[in-house]
Amino acid sequence: MAEVDIAPNFGAELKDGFKNANAWVGGGIQWLDDIQAFYRERAVIEKDYSAKLAALAKKYFDKKLKKSSSLSVGDTPTVTPGSLESASMTTWTVQLSTLESRAAEHERFSQQLVSGLAEPLKNLAARYEDLRKQHEGYATKLEKERDSSYGDLKKTKGKYDSVCQEVENKRKKIESSFDHGKTKVQGAYVQQQADMRNTKNTYLITINVTNKQKERYYYEYVPELLDALQALSEARTATLNNIWSAASTMETQTLDRSLQLMSHLSSEIPRNNPVLDSMMFVRHNALQQWQPPSDFVFEPSPVWLDDNSMASDPQSRTFLMNILSKSKSSLGALRKECEAKRREVDGAKRVRQAIREGKDKRDEVEVVRSMFVHSESLHEAERRRVTAEVEVETITAVMGDISVGMRAHRFENKTFKIPTNCDLCSDRIWGLSAKGLSCMDCGYTCHLKCELKVPADCPGELDKDARKAAKAHRQVEAQNMAAAPAGAEMATNGNGNGTSSHRDSLPSLQRSDTIGSMNTLSSGYAASAHRSVSGATVTSPAETKPAPISKGHRVMAPPPAAYRSAPDADDSGSSEQKGKMLYAYTANGDGEISVAEGIDFAVVESDDGSGWLRIRPLSPFSSQTPGLVPTSYTELQPRPSPRPISTLSSAASNSTTSLNSTTAPRKQGPAVAPRRGKRTVSTSAGGGALGVKYVEALYTYEPSGDGETGMTAGERLVLIKDDEGDGWCTVRGSKGDGVVPAGWVKAV
């Protein structure tokens, strides 16, 4: 095989020339069909011996003459090739000349031509064409990704312009608003400024990301694809050489008299080095003055922010800090992933090289296919890594490493089954599934949209009481911030660097000014806007009476008074049963009261089976008037001196809490099926106060594993989750929440 001093490289020399190279490689693959047709036709002609061999050689000489220029230098060469032919064309000429000298053929040789040459060529052409189409599809994907990046940048620019325009509109609206509504409009104006700065930062980051991806597209992705096409073409040529060598061997064995000519042909074929065709194609198609597209730059909005500096006010700094933290935390894993995938690609390349050197007998096409899959996977990982690196570099270049010393929250996705407010903006987390985020350490809850705005000040892992206290404190701060007058905000310029602007003449902006518009939503929301949050109540000074509450979506239980008897005159003092609210509850009917989460209370009338308790809050910040709340929203403490509180249904009252039940004779229950895995114990019984189900313990059970709870025979329990087929159910009783054998209880 002829030696080449300098091996050409499509990626380094052809630049953005994929279409031309792809057409050239495709032509070479289609040329395999011509060679296949040649051998099939020759198999037929060989039966007629030499009379038709000369005609066949002349026919393919003519075909070669028509395609010689295209197969040698492509359809649109930048340099005229003249009379030169590629190495493959020259080898093909030698083979046709050898064919003209042959005068005899055998029937066996005719059969060998079909089975040993034509069919392999057919399969080879199909497989290489499939690989070429995959390269073409990947090039199209890269181009779409590039255009998508350009499009995303354009959309980000449009969004930035629209946000800037909205800020300008808010500013004009302040000028045209009346005094009684100016505070509210001004608050919206300040918030719109913050959104504008965040949008600007996103736009700047997107510019850098797009520029980096563009650079990699023209200097890495496209050159690597061109190198892959070059390797594919050279592999096709090398494989074609093997087939030609096989044809030469068959002819040598069949035609002893043509041994000298066929030996000459066999010596000529190895001289067709696959690199020679590539070198000739490169020399006649190299682009002389190709220039890459220019980088993207910041384009100022015509109405706002005319410089390219990042906003650095506290809110923007928190936003950038969270982006920086996320990107930095993901870089390590992304780099490891890229290194692992790069090792896979390099391993596939070494196997392919061993195959071409004859040291490995595996199928080269399958190895190339595997290498292509690994390369595509590496490309995806590299894109994510580059994006994260550019985000880190962009932010640290302007702000420094602001993530040092931050105490980031460990957020996880969570579906809230009870009414929950965002600790950042104090708004309710709405939705059919109420999806949001919750910190696994301190219990901080927020909307998905608020995640990047949350300050990185996690106090670390807290116990239940500390979480409740922190939750109450954050809610008070959030509501106070929402209710703070607009004059307390900082008047900022376009970059978020501002000075205080005192607006004492304007009325204060309260959260209650904007929350009244939600009264038409689902029942209970408007009332919850004024509810007590851990003893602190946020109300409007001008409020005279609560908004009416719709009851259309609630299934009302029978009046609790129908099940209760008059309270004892001495039901107070040390004999009162105490408890604590597990969840905040908002009154929705007559006789009910609103109580915040964690408030201690005294039981005025126990649950008699209706699912309701009459309580008296003990907190000085809550109403001292007794009222009704759902039993499932509470956690009762043991009564100091148990005594019946209902003359109508004392048995039901006694069975509601196991503290008043007497210990029944211990009976042995039925055999229990082993538990399949650990069941997560839910804390919401029946989904609310109006759908509580009860069961009665048939036997006394002692817990023997994680997640289980104990019960006493005859005890009445709240059914939280029914048997799901594993023989266990989740209940709540005097010994807490947990799972018990489903066959040891019965529904009541």
Side-chain angles (χ1 to χ4, degrees):
M1 184 175 290
E3 297 294 331
V4 180
D5 296 333
I6 301 177
N9 187 291
F10 279 15
E13 300 182 36
L14 296 182
K15 303 300 182 184
D16 190 15
F18 174 80
K19 292 184 178 179
N20 196 14
N22 183 49
W24 179 71
V25 173
I29 294 175
Q30 292 178 359
W31 180 43
L32 296 178
D33 293 334
D34 290 341
I35 302 176
Q36 177 197 167
F38 161 76
Y39 282 117
R40 290 187 182 277
E41 292 183 26
R42 181 178 174 181
V44 176
I45 296 175
E46 287 297 329
K47 295 181 180 181
D48 299 331
Y49 285 94
S50 61
K52 295 184 179 179
L53 289 179
L56 180 62
K58 183 179 184 301
K59 174 182 178 181
Y60 280 92
F61 262 124
D62 295 337
K63 279 195 171 186
K64 182 190 76 69
L65 182 62
K66 294 178 181 179
K67 294 186 177 182
S68 176
S69 176
S70 175
L71 294 174
S72 297
V73 297
D75 295 329
T76 57
T78 57
V79 178
T80 304
S83 59
L84 295 177
E85 288 184 343
S86 66
S88 295
M89 289 290 98
T90 303
T91 305
W92 181 234
T93 301
V94 173
Q95 180 158 330
L96 293 178
S97 299
T98 302
L99 181 62
E100 286 182 332
S101 302
R102 304 210 25 215
E105 192 61 71
H106 303 280
E107 181 65 20
R108 183 177 60 86
F109 180 59
S110 176
Q111 295 175 354
Q112 290 178 343
L113 285 175
V114 175
S115 60
L117 298 178
E119 288 299 327
L121 275 173
K122 178 181 178 181
N123 296 333
L124 181 66
R127 296 169 70 182
Y128 276 116
E129 178 64 16
D130 181 56
L131 280 176
R132 187 198 65 80
K133 288 181 178 179
Q134 288 188 25
H135 285 71
E136 185 178 18
Y138 183 57
T140 304
K141 177 183 176 182
L142 289 176
E143 188 174 354
K144 287 182 179 179
E145 288 177 349
R146 182 200 63 189
D147 296 339
S148 176
S149 298
Y150 294 174
D152 291 343
L153 179 61
K154 186 175 180 182
K155 290 179 182 178
T156 306
K157 176 61 171 65
K159 182 178 179 181
Y160 170 67
D161 292 341
S162 64
V163 172
C164 292
Q165 185 62 52
E166 186 64 22
V167 171
E168 182 65 14
N169 294 341
K170 297 289 185 182
R171 185 189 64 78
K172 294 180 179 179
K173 191 172 182 181
I174 292 176
E175 298 175 355
S176 61
S177 62
F178 296 97
D179 291 341
H180 67 275
K182 183 166 292 185
T183 302
K184 181 177 179 179
V185 175
Q186 197 163 14
Y189 172 69
V190 172
Q191 181 62 36
Q192 191 65 35
Q193 280 186 315
D195 293 341
M196 174 195 64
R197 294 191 294 270
N198 291 339
T199 305
K200 173 191 174 182
N201 292 340
T202 302
Y203 177 39
L204 291 171
I205 293 173
T206 306
I207 289 176
N208 289 342
V209 170
T210 303
N211 286 334
K212 189 64 176 180
Q213 296 294 355
K214 174 187 66 62
E215 177 184 348
R216 291 179 66 84
Y217 173 82
Y218 287 106
Y219 289 98
E220 291 187 31
Y221 302 152
V222 173
E224 288 177 358
L225 194 59
L226 287 171
D227 291 340
L229 276 179
Q230 177 183 356
L232 179 63
S233 176
E234 293 172 1
R236 172 193 56 80
T237 302
T239 306
L240 185 59
N241 285 343
N242 294 334
I243 293 179
W244 282 339
S245 297
S248 175
T249 301
M250 285 188 294
E251 290 189 22
T252 302
Q253 294 174 352
T254 305
L255 306 174
D256 294 335
R257 292 178 298 175
S258 302
L259 180 59
Q260 184 177 1
L261 292 175
M262 295 307 299
S263 297
H264 173 68
L265 177 60
S266 296
S267 64
E268 289 293 325
I269 290 175
R271 297 180 59 187
N272 183 29
N273 192 318
V275 176
L276 294 175
D277 287 357
S278 300
M279 178 184 295
M280 185 173 185
F281 180 79
V282 168
R283 289 178 177 177
H284 290 80
N285 290 272
L287 300 178
Q288 303 299 326
Q289 297 180 347
W290 180 85
Q291 295 292 334
S294 58
D295 289 348
F296 293 97
V297 296
F298 173 79
E299 298 180 13
S301 170
V303 297
W304 199 267
L305 297 181
D306 55 354
D307 59 25
N308 61 350
S309 60
M310 276 192 172
S312 58
D313 61 285
Q315 292 180 348
S316 300
R317 188 180 181 88
T318 298
F319 178 79
L320 294 174
M321 183 186 299
N322 288 326
I323 293 180
L324 180 61
S325 176
K326 278 195 169 185
S327 298
K328 286 182 65 177
S329 62
S330 64
L331 270 179
L334 289 174
R335 286 168 178 163
K336 290 181 180 179
E337 181 182 359
C338 291
E339 288 299 325
K341 295 185 181 298
R342 194 180 303 279
R343 286 193 295 268
E344 292 177 350
V345 174
D346 293 341
K349 289 181 178 179
R350 288 193 295 269
V351 172
R352 184 179 186 182
Q353 184 63 30
I355 293 175
R356 298 184 66 175
E357 294 174 357
K359 300 177 181 179
D360 199 310
K361 300 301 182 181
R362 279 178 278 186
D363 189 348
E364 184 176 2
V365 174
E366 294 301 326
V367 173
V368 172
R369 191 189 307 276
S370 175
M371 184 175 65
F372 187 79
V373 172
H374 292 320
S375 299
E376 188 172 5
S377 178
L378 173 62
H379 164 73
E380 296 293 340
E382 287 284 356
R383 279 181 59 86
R384 296 195 301 271
R385 180 185 61 80
V386 169
T387 299
E389 287 178 347
V390 173
E391 288 177 348
V392 172
E393 292 173 2
T394 302
I395 296 175
T396 54
V398 178
M399 311 291 294
D401 191 357
I402 56 179
S403 65
V404 176
M406 67 178 293
R407 295 170 295 172
H409 294 274
R410 294 197 304 140
F411 284 121
E412 64 175 351
N413 292 323
K414 186 174 182 181
T415 297
F416 300 99
K417 298 182 179 179
I418 62 173
T420 304
N421 285 24
C422 176
D423 288 343
L424 180 69
C425 64
S426 79
D427 288 341
R428 184 70 59 85
I429 301 179
W430 286 101
L432 294 177
S433 57
K435 288 185 177 179
L437 298 173
S438 176
C439 179
M440 294 185 290
D441 292 331
C442 66
Y444 195 108
T445 58
C446 67
H447 297 93
L448 291 173
K449 64 180 180 180
C450 295
E451 178 185 4
L452 295 179
K453 302 178 184 179
V454 175
D457 56 358
C458 181
E461 188 172 358
L462 302 177
D463 56 20
K464 184 177 181 180
D465 293 336
R467 283 194 177 197
K468 290 182 178 180
K471 176 75 173 180
H473 178 70
R474 289 193 295 262
Q475 284 293 307
V476 172
E477 283 190 346
Q479 293 192 8
N480 289 340
M481 184 177 296
E489 298 290 339
M490 299 290 288
T492 60
N493 59 17
N495 296 326
N497 306 320
T499 59
S500 63
S501 176
H502 190 64
R503 305 182 182 93
D504 294 334
S505 60
L506 299 177
S508 64
L509 179 61
Q510 299 285 342
R511 173 172 164 77
S512 56
D513 296 337
T514 59
I515 206 167
S517 61
M518 303 299 293
N519 290 342
T520 58
L521 298 177
S522 60
S523 64
Y525 180 81
S528 65
H530 309 282
R531 68 184 186 277
S532 171
V533 182
S534 298
T537 304
V538 179
T539 58
S540 172
E543 185 181 40
T544 58
K545 62 180 181 178
I549 301 173
S550 172
K551 300 181 181 179
H553 299 287
R554 180 180 169 201
V555 180
M556 297 297 293
Y563 301 96
R564 298 192 306 271
S565 61
D568 297 336
D570 60 347
D571 190 12
S572 61
S574 61
S575 64
E576 285 184 332
Q577 186 177 9
K578 301 297 193 300
K580 180 184 290 187
M581 293 298 296
L582 293 176
Y583 316 108
Y585 180 71
T586 303
N588 289 326
D590 296 337
E592 302 176 15
I593 60 173
S594 299
V595 190
E597 177 184 352
I599 295 297
D600 294 327
F601 61 82
V603 177
V604 177
E605 293 182 12
S606 299
D607 181 11
D608 53 7
S610 63
W612 295 81
L613 282 173
R614 179 178 290 275
I615 66 170
R616 183 180 72 256
L618 301 179
S619 172
F621 300 100
S622 301
S623 172
Q624 301 296 315
T625 304
L628 298 172
V629 295
T631 305
S632 60
Y633 277 47
T634 65
E635 180 182 30
L636 298 179
Q637 300 175 2
R639 181 185 293 273
S641 56
R643 55 195 177 94
I645 61 173
S646 173
T647 60
L648 180 62
S649 179
S650 61
S653 174
N654 291 334
S655 62
T656 302
T657 169
S658 62
L659 297 172
N660 296 332
S661 64
T662 60
T663 304
R666 188 178 184 89
K667 297 187 292 183
Q668 181 63 34
V672 181
R675 294 170 58 200
R676 297 195 293 259
K678 292 185 179 180
R679 176 180 295 192
T680 302
V681 178
S682 174
T683 59
S684 59
L690 302 181
V692 180
K693 296 181 181 180
Y694 294 94
V695 294
E696 181 178 339
L698 299 176
Y699 314 97
T700 299
Y701 179 75
E702 295 297 336
S704 59
D706 295 339
E708 299 181 11
T709 187
M711 61 182 180
T712 305
E715 180 182 353
R716 191 176 187 186
L717 310 165
V718 177
L719 179 62
I720 296 177
K721 185 181 292 184
D722 207 347
D723 181 13
E724 296 180 341
D726 58 355
W728 295 80
C729 61
T730 307
V731 299
R732 173 180 298 156
S734 60
K735 298 182 180 179
D737 296 358
V739 295
V740 297
W744 291 42
V745 297
K746 68 175 181 178
V748 296

